[in-house]
């Protein structure tokens, strides 16, 4: 089973700053099956990035996904107030889906 | 407008059972695989189960295998999760989510429904 870890656990930043979130897998992940989600407090998760680097419909271009193998990154170029939230990476392999523990982007 | 609306949650005693439902609208339900994902209070997301469009393939997380059963009714645009032998560790908000094969990601999410297992 592939495990995902995310770092840092919390990222304390201000609006306008750049956020760099890391997702590391215990084994190599097919980039096709690597996605990122945003979850605001009290809301359901929302798909941001699929295929490691493709933005979902309606996602602003300040969100960028990159990486391959075991190391993936979500970058938010300039934080907007609505971007302060939890972010989860997720992968699929061998009939199992797993989520990382999340990174909280905090003010 | 795309909607996934969960129902059937609530308070249940340890060892009890509960059946969750998810009503889908605003998109072509039969074209999407579906999943259940839960989130314990203050915790992260945990995938539970997955079912393909025709119900021909079903997966479960080890944590619920043998206790939970996923099913769907394409004629009614609905997804279900039968949960048996519940324990306090199953207390969580349960989300239904559509899985779009072309994206290989959970595309649409419901608003979630709270299940509390307590005596």
């Amino acid at each position: 089973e592939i495990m995902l870890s995310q770092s840092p656990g919390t990222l304390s930043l201000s609006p306008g700053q750049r956020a760099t979130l890391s997702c590391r897998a215990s084994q190599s992940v097919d980039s096709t099956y690597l996605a990122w989600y945003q979850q605001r407090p009290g809301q359901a998760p929302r798909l941001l990035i699929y295929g490691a680097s493709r933005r979902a419909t309606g996602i602003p271009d300040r969100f960028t996904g990159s990486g391959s193998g075991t190391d993936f990154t979500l970058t938010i170029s300039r934080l907007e107030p609505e971007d302060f939230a939890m972010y989860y990476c997720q992968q699929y392999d061998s009939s199992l889906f797993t989520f990382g523990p999340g990174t909280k982007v905090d003010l | 407008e795309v909607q996934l609306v969960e129902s059937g949650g609530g308070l249940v005693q340890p060892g009890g059972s509960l059946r969750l439902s998810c009503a889908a609208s605003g998109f072509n339900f039969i074209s999407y695989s579906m999943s259940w994902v839960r989130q314990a209070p203050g915790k992260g997301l945990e995938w539970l189960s997955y079912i393909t469009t025709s119900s021909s393939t079903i997966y479960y997380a080890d944590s619920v295998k043998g206790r939970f059963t996923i099913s769907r009714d394409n004629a009614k645009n609905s997804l279900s999760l039968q949960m048996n032998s519940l324990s306090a560790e199953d207390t969580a908000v349960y989300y239904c989510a559509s899985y779009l094969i072309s994206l290989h990601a959970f595309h649409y999410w419901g608003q979630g429904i709270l299940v509390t297992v307590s005596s």
Side-chain angles (χ1 to χ4, degrees):
Chain A
E1 178 181 348
I2 296 178
M3 307 295 290
L4 298 175
S5 60
Q6 292 186 242
S7 61
T10 301
L11 199 51
S12 296
L13 295 168
S14 300
Q17 289 190 298
R18 180 186 188 91
T20 302
L21 288 67
S22 173
C23 175
R24 185 159 291 175
S26 59
Q27 306 170 43
S28 184
V29 170
D30 184 335
S31 297
T32 302
Y33 300 106
L34 193 289
W36 290 90
Y37 302 84
Q38 177 194 65
Q39 187 178 33
R40 295 171 177 148
Q43 294 188 17
R46 174 175 74 142
L47 176 65
L48 294 177
I49 300 287
Y50 66 95
S53 62
R54 298 171 183 262
R55 275 186 294 275
T57 302
I59 301 304
D61 60 7
R62 64 179 181 273
F63 291 91
T64 301
S66 62
S68 63
T70 60
D71 291 301
F72 298 88
T73 300
L74 175 68
T75 303
I76 311 171
S77 58
R78 294 172 311 279
L79 284 165
E80 297 287 341
E82 62 267 27
D83 299 336
F84 290 91
M86 284 293 293
Y87 292 84
Y88 297 93
C89 56
Q90 171 260 317
Q91 69 85 38
Y92 166 78
D93 177 75
S94 301
S95 309
L96 292 176
F97 298 83
T98 53
F99 288 91
T103 290
K104 183 177 184 179
V105 177
D106 212 350
L107 266 170
Chain B
E1 179 193 5
V2 170
Q3 281 198 308
L4 290 170
V5 180
E6 301 93 341
S7 61
L11 177 64
V12 60
Q13 292 191 335
S17 297
L18 209 58
R19 186 177 182 89
L20 302 183
S21 296
C22 172
S25 62
F27 67 103
N28 192 11
F29 180 75
I30 62 172
S31 296
Y32 285 73
S33 296
M34 298 294 296
S35 266
W36 288 96
V37 176
R38 72 182 176 186
Q39 187 169 37
K43 303 297 185 182
L45 301 171
E46 179 188 15
W47 168 77
L48 300 179
S49 186
Y50 168 90
I51 186 168
T52 53
T53 55
S54 62
S55 305
S56 59
T57 299
I58 288 174
Y59 305 139
Y60 294 101
D62 287 345
S63 59
V64 303
K65 197 175 297 183
R67 299 189 301 124
F68 289 12
T69 302
I70 192 172
S71 61
R72 65 188 293 163
D73 185 338
N74 288 338
K76 295 182 178 179
N77 285 0
S78 69
L79 177 74
S80 296
L81 186 68
Q82 177 65 41
M83 306 187 294
N84 299 330
S85 304
L86 289 164
S87 70
E89 289 68 40
D90 297 311
T91 294
V93 172
Y94 286 71
Y95 296 99
C96 67
S98 63
Y99 189 83
L100 190 55
I101 294 296
S102 59
L103 305 185
H104 296 289
F106 297 109
H107 193 210
Y108 302 130
W109 293 72
Q111 83 287 351
I113 190 89
L114 178 62
V115 172
T116 303
V117 185
S118 174
S119 55

